[in-house]
């Protein structure tokens, strides 16, 4: 992964506060529970944008979280999006299902289910 990364430590929170600017984007990695969502990717990434500074502490903020709170909640942040990983905001992979014509062909061929047939 190219670019810098910041771990959820006080040292890295201070370092990120020094280089941060308004509009800067940070990327975090999401780990999915594949036992609950078997067709979802195991890992995706998320993009976060720095909004401004806290008027009280002067620390940069992402939404309502300060940089140190953001790192504590989301974990490691990256300067560049991870290669080969899908953004959580984009649609996932599509899996094929039978078309309506294929379903009609099966019904016409006599492959009906027993629960739905009446005699």
């Amino acid at each position: 992964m190219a670019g810098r990364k910041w771990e959820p430590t006080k040292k890295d929170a201070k370092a990120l506060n020094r280089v941060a600017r308004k509009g800067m984007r940070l990327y975090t990695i999401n780990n999915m529970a594949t036992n609950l969502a078997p067709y979802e990717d195991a890992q995706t990434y998320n993009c976060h944008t720095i909004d401004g500074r806290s008027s009280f502490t002067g620390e940069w903020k992402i939404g309502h979280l300060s940089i140190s709170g953001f790192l504590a909640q989301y974990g490691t942040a990256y300067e560049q999006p991870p290669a080969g990983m899908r953004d959580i905001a984009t649609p996932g992979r599509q899996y094929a299902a039978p078309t309506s014509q294929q379903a009609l062909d099966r019904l016409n061929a006599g492959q009906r289910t027993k629960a739905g047939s009446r005699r």
Side-chain angles (χ1 to χ4, degrees), residues 64-111:
H64 68 283
L65 293 171
S66 65
I67 290 290
S68 55
F70 170 78
L71 289 174
Q73 185 167 345
Y74 289 95
T76 305
Y78 301 91
E79 188 175 30
Q80 299 293 324
M85 229 180 266
R86 180 176 70 84
D87 185 358
I88 190 74
T90 59
R93 288 180 272 148
Q94 298 297 311
Y95 292 92
T99 63
S100 57
Q101 186 60 46
Q102 289 171 335
L104 287 173
D105 290 345
R106 268 193 234 139
L107 286 174
N108 290 337
Q111 296 177 357

Side-chain angles (χ1 to χ4, degrees), residues 6 10-20:
W6 296 276
K10 284 185 179 182
K11 176 185 167 192
D12 281 353
K14 285 182 181 181
L16 179 54
N17 260 311
R18 282 194 287 278
V19 298

